[in-house]
Amino acid sequence: MSLPEFQRALTAFVASPELCRAAVADPDRFSAGYNLTALELKRLLHSAQQPGMKVCWSLHRANRLGPIHAVLPLTCRALGDHLRRELDAFWNGTLPEDVQFKSESDRFAAFLRGRALDGHLDLPIIEDLLAFELAMAELRFLPQRETRQSLLDAENGGVETTLVLHPFIRLLRFRHDPEPLLAAMIGERPLPLDLPRGNFQVLVDGKDGGMAVRVLDVRLAKILEAFRQDIPHGLDDAEIHSLLRSGLIARWPSGNPLSGGAF
């Protein structure tokens, strides 16, 4: 018996009620994608029609929904009545190799961006919300102890350092005014009909355990972006010290990998 192929097919059945129905309707077409014996195919088709498969489908999807909702709650809220449709389309795609907490939410975010790009999802605020929530998640998943130790090592001297955007800060660009947008989403209120559009630079600060959000002026945004990309910034010593004191930039050990956010 070809046990790995049987297990692969059974895993696909658990993940997709649509595949189960299609296999029962056309066994030959289904079996063409797997190297199965006649007995294995018979057992799979029998399993696909068992009442207990509904429980398997529900558990599988609940396990995948948990990470998505935990990382992207505002996005899920914004999708509203379209959430079920988008989840079904996402889950009907290729079965991932893993459904780990962060990787599942990253895949769903990429899926939604693709849907918006190809016109299947008409929700202009989706990119702003995804960028914001993924930045929040990235900050939450940072190795706190190691990052703070590297900052301390750089401050204490003894190692070669460079100036970087503070590792607990992320820079984002919003296409809609972030203040009314986030206030409406967090407060579970309808979006304002006249939500201003534009080019808004936003800073997400996770240094103190919480998440502070502020809108930046254009000049400060460009300066911080220069530190994020490690390109010339043209600041004098007094300006650099001011940024260091404010916690917007930091000294960091040279050669030590630094996780940065998207601008």
Side-chain angles (χ1 to χ4, degrees):
M1 296 179 68
S2 51
L3 183 58
E5 285 292 278
F6 179 84
Q7 291 174 330
R8 184 168 72 91
L10 186 59
T11 300
F13 273 6
V14 170
S16 176
E18 291 76 13
L19 179 62
C20 287
R21 299 185 188 105
V24 172
D26 191 348
D28 291 338
R29 183 174 181 180
F30 163 74
S31 62
Y34 300 88
N35 183 21
L36 299 168
T37 67
L39 179 59
E40 287 172 334
L41 178 59
K42 180 180 178 180
R43 288 176 173 173
L44 284 168
L45 296 177
H46 179 74
S47 299
Q49 300 175 77
Q50 293 302 302
M53 284 299 296
K54 293 181 179 179
V55 177
C56 294
W57 299 331
S58 297
L59 289 174
H60 175 82
R61 294 198 167 187
N63 286 335
R64 295 185 69 180
L65 177 59
I68 290 172
H69 190 268
V71 174
L72 305 172
L74 302 185
T75 299
C76 290
R77 187 175 300 158
L79 285 168
D81 294 339
H82 300 306
L83 177 60
R84 178 59 183 270
R85 182 196 69 190
E86 296 305 317
L87 285 172
D88 284 343
F90 173 60
W91 286 330
N92 287 336
T94 303
L95 187 66
E97 293 183 2
D98 71 85
V99 287
Q100 296 300 313
F101 197 88
K102 189 172 183 300
S103 57
E104 182 73 352
S105 56
D106 286 345
R107 281 191 297 268
F108 188 55
F111 170 81
L112 290 177
R113 283 169 167 155
R115 296 274 286 178
L117 187 63
D118 63 21
H120 288 102
L121 177 60
D122 183 16
L123 187 62
I125 64 170
I126 197 69
E127 180 59 39
D128 291 344
L129 291 177
L130 287 172
F132 174 71
E133 295 197 286
L134 290 176
M136 297 270 283
E138 188 175 87
L139 289 172
R140 288 200 300 270
F141 285 116
L142 271 182
Q144 297 282 328
R145 181 179 298 178
E146 293 87 340
T147 302
R148 294 187 187 280
Q149 185 60 53
S150 293
L151 289 169
L152 186 61
D153 292 343
E155 284 296 324
N156 289 338
V159 297
E160 185 178 350
T161 65
T162 185
L163 293 174
V164 299
L165 179 71
H166 198 286
F168 289 109
I169 282 178
R170 295 295 179 267
L171 299 174
L172 308 173
R173 180 177 290 118
F174 272 55
R175 299 170 184 170
H176 303 82
D177 190 335
E179 293 180 343
L181 170 58
L182 295 178
M185 289 292 95
I186 293 172
E188 300 186 42
R189 301 192 301 271
L191 280 174
L193 296 177
D194 57 345
L195 188 64
R197 295 176 63 92
N199 185 14
F200 301 90
Q201 279 73 41
V202 176
L203 178 150
V204 181
D205 187 341
K207 289 195 298 293
D208 299 324
M211 294 291 175
V213 181
R214 60 183 279 199
V215 179
L216 302 175
D217 63 63
V218 174
R219 180 175 183 271
L220 180 55
K222 288 182 178 179
I223 289 172
L224 294 181
E225 172 65 2
F227 282 101
R228 189 184 75 84
Q229 293 195 34
D230 191 24
I231 59 178
H233 46 73
L235 300 181
D236 59 31
D237 289 345
E239 290 173 311
I240 290 175
H241 287 311
S242 177
L243 291 175
L244 285 167
R245 287 195 302 271
S246 64
L248 294 176
I249 64 174
R251 291 186 176 88
W252 186 258
S254 299
N256 192 351
L258 178 66
S259 175
F263 185 80

